[in-house]
Amino acid sequence: MQFIGPFVTLVSILIVGTIGYWFIGERNYSVLDCFYMTIITIISIGYGEIIDMTGKPYGRVFTIIVALSGIGVLTYTFSYLTAFLADGNFAEGIRRKRMEKILAKMKDHFIICGIGKVGLHILNELN
């Protein structure tokens, strides 16, 4: 499914952001605090910095990178998911999977396309 790519990218940004903030915070903050900092940066809630960035310009640059990449990927992921659900592709995918399971169970059968003169003749021959 094409949705896996954006989802994996988003999860990767969350992991990299969490680890990055853990190092920037000099390992003085819990992993949960670092993950929370990543989430509020990506979702742009703006509660304020959980991890103190005073005197750490590299931390601010890292936050800018996490914000730009995270917001971009999050927006793309949600818009793709919305379009996927709105276009009916979701229902079509479920229907296709169900049909593939049914077809996988079938053995020793023939599918005749068309039931005109030729199709009826073939049906009689197979019968």
Side-chain angles (χ1 to χ4, degrees):
M1 185 191 295
Q2 293 176 348
F3 183 68
I4 292 174
F7 180 74
V8 168
T9 304
L10 182 60
V11 170
S12 299
I13 290 170
L14 289 172
I15 291 169
V16 168
T18 301
I19 293 169
Y21 284 124
W22 189 66
F23 281 113
I24 290 168
E26 298 169 351
R27 300 180 189 111
N28 293 327
Y29 296 90
S30 70
V31 174
L32 181 61
D33 286 340
C34 297
F35 180 71
Y36 181 72
M37 180 76 173
T38 305
I39 291 291
I40 65 171
T41 300
I42 289 175
I43 299 177
S44 41
I45 293 174
Y47 285 143
E49 294 176 342
I50 302 300
I51 298 171
D52 186 22
M53 296 290 172
T54 306
K56 298 177 184 174
Y58 56 89
R60 295 195 185 262
V61 170
F62 181 76
T63 300
I64 291 169
I65 293 168
V66 168
L68 290 176
S69 60
I71 291 168
V73 170
L74 186 66
T75 302
Y76 176 78
T77 302
F78 280 131
S79 64
Y80 184 85
L81 179 63
T82 303
F84 180 75
L85 293 174
D87 287 345
N89 291 336
F90 183 69
E92 176 65 22
I94 290 174
R95 187 192 68 76
R96 182 178 295 274
K97 281 286 190 191
R98 190 177 306 136
M99 182 63 71
E100 287 173 359
K101 283 182 182 179
I102 292 170
L103 292 175
K105 292 178 184 177
M106 290 185 174
K107 291 184 174 139
D108 300 326
H109 71 283
F110 298 95
I111 298 174
I112 301 173
C113 297
I115 196 68
K117 291 179 183 177
V118 175
L120 283 174
H121 179 69
I122 292 171
L123 181 63
N124 288 330
E125 288 292 322
L126 289 173
N127 222 359

